[in-house]
Amino acid sequence: MTELIDRLKSIVGPSGWKTDPTELAPFLADWRGVFVGQALIMVSPSSTEETAAVVRACAAAGVAIVPQGGNTGLCGGSVPDSSGEQVLLSLSRLNNIRQLDAANFSIEVEAGCVLATIQEAAQKEGLVFPLSLGAEGSCQIGGNLATNAGGINVIRYGSARSLVMGLEVVLADGSVLNSMRSLRKDAAGYDLKQLFVGSEGTLGIITAASLRLFPDPGETTTALVALADSGDAVRLLGILRKSLSDGIEAFELVSSRIFELVERYIPGARLPFAEHSPWYVLIEAATYGRQDAMEAALTSDACGDLIVDAVIAKNTTEANNLWHMRHSIAEAQRHYGRGLKHDISIPVSRMPEFLVRGDALLNELNPDARLLAFGHVGDGNLHYNVDLTAAEDTVEIRETISVAIYDLVAELGGSFSAEHGIGVSKKHYLEKYRGGVELELMRRLKLALDPQNILNPGRVI
């Protein structure tokens, strides 16, 4: 191992490695502190060539590599195991914007670029990169693509997969796949780049990407709507998609209990209503110059029996305050603790049925558990979290609840992992819900592209 360590140090230079335990500590635990590991060394290459050289050296030594971006994931996929024998490969120094082509509505970026930096670069050209997450100030685009991140704008622009035009990827043998083409039409064989989107670094290490940009939608309107019933959210969505000419950028459902936690733990966070309602929907829509479009839609006869109360942001400050509450949910839950998280997706048409049956199922399984639900209901993604603070809490109880929820999700044609990936925590569910030919094909791909199993082993499959 000493020879390998020396070789890696020489590849990345004096500024590109860490072995000191104190310096390594922030990179060896996930954002929530659930997964903690050890590393032989952390290397931070500054170029694709250095990344490829690191992979070749590790492949020759038969040593595993764990790629890491901003380390904001929730399933343990970017944290090394406890053996202390894996190399942690940080992409943080690969942070250049290589090119922005405004006429082609595309941007080429390296994997370590922070998501917010890409958004800002697009904005300077009057364009938009629409991927938007609560962690956008620290997450990196390589990790976003490796997990096929979703976020709040999927309803209009699709998940990370839909935004990729080309990729540069270091393969398990250290060779480099360069498919950095900025084309919207390309029927020349297999679409290889899509193999690596969502693969969580198990098939290759993304080092750069060509991404789609979009015209700035111009003025948008933000509204917070109070609802008496979660099922009303789906009905409201259908009405607004028609009345706002499909201009909805985001449509977020949040339970009252979630916002109560935000108000408790996030300084200055307050709902703009005198009384709490059971559910809320936060909406952002492009209104195409019609300043009254949102108000007209929400006050129409079609919405009359759905809405308890509503507030429309009068300016950017008010809109930012509403979105600050939404983006603070993860932080508030981290302070609160003990939540059992389920990142699920359901066909939008079956969301009301799931919410009714899910609530009944949870009450049957554990009457003392409380639901803490929120999500991107516009695209069918719900974070169906369960608070066990007042209930008996054991590993067995948690597994029983999760399996029951995932069984219901599967019955309704949904997925047990909507946007957070598989990582370490959900591998056994992949076996259960994606078995047979589908899982066998995943294994064949892994074996073909990484026969030594050195790329993020123990994750996904």
Side-chain angles (χ1 to χ4, degrees):
M1 289 297 186
T2 302
E3 182 178 347
L4 173 63
I5 292 174
D6 290 342
R7 174 63 183 142
L8 295 177
K9 288 179 179 179
S10 68
I11 291 170
V12 298
S15 300
W17 57 270
K18 298 181 188 296
T19 55
D20 180 81
T22 302
E23 293 182 342
L24 279 175
F27 305 94
L28 299 178
D30 76 317
W31 183 75
R32 291 186 294 161
V34 174
F35 299 94
V36 181
Q38 300 295 324
L40 182 66
I41 185 175
M42 185 177 90
V43 293
S44 304
S46 61
S47 67
T48 300
E49 293 73 23
E50 287 185 5
T51 305
V54 165
V55 173
R56 285 195 294 270
C58 290
V63 172
I65 304 167
V66 178
Q68 186 178 97
N71 198 25
T72 59
L74 300 176
C75 295
S78 62
V79 178
D81 65 21
S82 60
S83 69
E85 297 178 352
Q86 297 180 329
V87 170
L88 183 60
L89 193 154
S90 169
L91 281 303
S92 59
R93 295 175 72 203
L94 281 167
N95 58 7
N96 295 306
I97 294 177
R98 294 181 178 177
Q99 174 181 296
L100 192 155
D101 187 344
N104 192 50
F105 289 87
S106 64
I107 186 171
E108 292 186 7
V109 301
E110 293 181 339
C113 280
V114 172
L115 176 55
T117 302
I118 301 172
Q119 296 169 342
E120 291 163 5
Q123 288 168 1
K124 288 178 181 178
E125 298 295 326
L127 303 173
V128 171
F129 181 62
L131 185 64
S132 181
L133 320 171
E136 61 194 28
S138 55
C139 64
Q140 297 172 10
I141 191 64
N144 298 148
L145 300 180
T147 56
N148 189 28
I152 63 174
N153 292 332
V154 173
I155 183 174
R156 188 170 194 191
Y157 299 101
S159 62
R161 185 181 301 281
S162 303
L163 305 175
V164 177
M165 303 172 79
L167 287 181
E168 179 184 83
V169 183
V170 175
L171 303 178
D173 61 358
S175 59
V176 179
L177 170 68
N178 189 339
S179 65
M180 289 285 284
R181 289 176 286 273
S182 298
L183 301 173
R184 284 162 179 78
K185 287 186 176 181
D186 184 0
Y190 302 138
D191 191 358
L192 295 176
K193 66 179 180 293
Q194 291 296 350
L195 284 176
F196 303 98
V197 180
S199 70
E200 302 186 44
T202 61
L203 301 181
I205 300 171
I206 296 171
T207 52
S210 176
L211 305 169
R212 297 178 65 192
L213 300 179
F214 294 81
D216 189 330
E219 183 177 348
T220 60
T221 302
T222 300
L224 183 65
V225 177
L227 303 174
D229 183 82
S230 58
D232 291 339
V234 176
R235 291 185 281 275
L236 179 63
L237 173 62
I239 294 169
L240 294 184
R241 291 193 75 170
K242 296 175 182 177
S243 59
L244 293 174
S245 302
D246 207 25
I248 294 178
E249 303 264 319
F251 193 89
E252 304 285 292
L253 178 69
V254 185
S255 70
S256 177
R257 290 170 181 166
I258 286 286
F259 271 151
E260 287 171 7
L261 292 182
V262 172
E263 289 182 320
R264 184 188 309 176
Y265 292 108
I266 306 301
R270 291 291 178 271
L271 283 171
F273 300 115
E275 297 182 2
H276 279 196
S277 292
W279 294 91
Y280 299 90
V281 171
L282 183 59
I283 309 163
E284 183 164 288
T287 47
Y288 305 108
R290 288 187 54 205
Q291 296 182 350
D292 64 340
M294 181 71 80
E295 181 177 358
L298 293 176
T299 56
S300 66
D301 291 342
C303 295
D305 61 343
L306 297 178
I307 296 174
V308 174
D309 204 349
V311 168
I312 298 175
K314 296 188 294 293
N315 50 52
T316 301
T317 299
E318 290 187 2
N320 289 342
N321 287 339
L322 292 176
W323 278 109
H324 177 64
M325 293 197 66
R326 168 61 185 88
H327 288 316
S328 297
I329 288 174
E331 183 68 26
Q333 285 195 306
R334 185 168 71 160
H335 284 297
Y336 183 63
R338 298 199 65 189
L340 177 57
K341 298 180 181 296
H342 305 98
D343 164 43
I344 60 174
S345 60
I346 302 285
V348 174
S349 60
R350 308 203 74 175
M351 186 68 74
E353 179 184 356
F354 171 79
L355 288 165
V356 170
R357 292 178 60 184
D359 288 358
L361 177 64
L362 183 58
N363 186 63
E364 178 184 337
L365 290 171
N366 200 323
D368 294 322
R370 300 176 71 204
L371 179 62
L372 295 170
F374 67 99
H376 323 293
V377 170
D379 56 52
N381 179 196
L382 188 66
H383 300 292
Y384 197 77
N385 301 337
V386 178
D387 174 16
L388 296 172
T389 303
E392 186 180 359
D393 184 4
T394 66
V395 172
E396 291 76 14
I397 288 173
R398 285 172 170 254
E399 184 67 7
T400 298
I401 292 174
S402 293
V403 168
I405 290 171
Y406 292 150
D407 282 349
L408 177 58
V409 167
E411 179 188 334
L412 297 178
S415 172
F416 67 93
S417 180
E419 63 177 359
H420 291 166
I422 301 298
V424 176
S425 63
K426 293 185 177 181
K427 283 196 306 178
H428 60 300
Y429 297 127
L430 189 68
E431 293 271 355
K432 177 177 173 63
Y433 298 105
R434 295 292 172 89
V437 173
E438 192 169 6
L439 184 58
E440 177 58 28
L441 185 54
M442 292 184 198
R443 288 181 172 138
R444 290 183 192 177
L445 284 169
K446 172 66 172 174
L447 183 62
L449 293 177
D450 182 18
Q452 285 186 274
N453 192 28
I454 66 166
L455 294 181
N456 225 6
R459 279 76 177 175
V460 186
I461 57 174

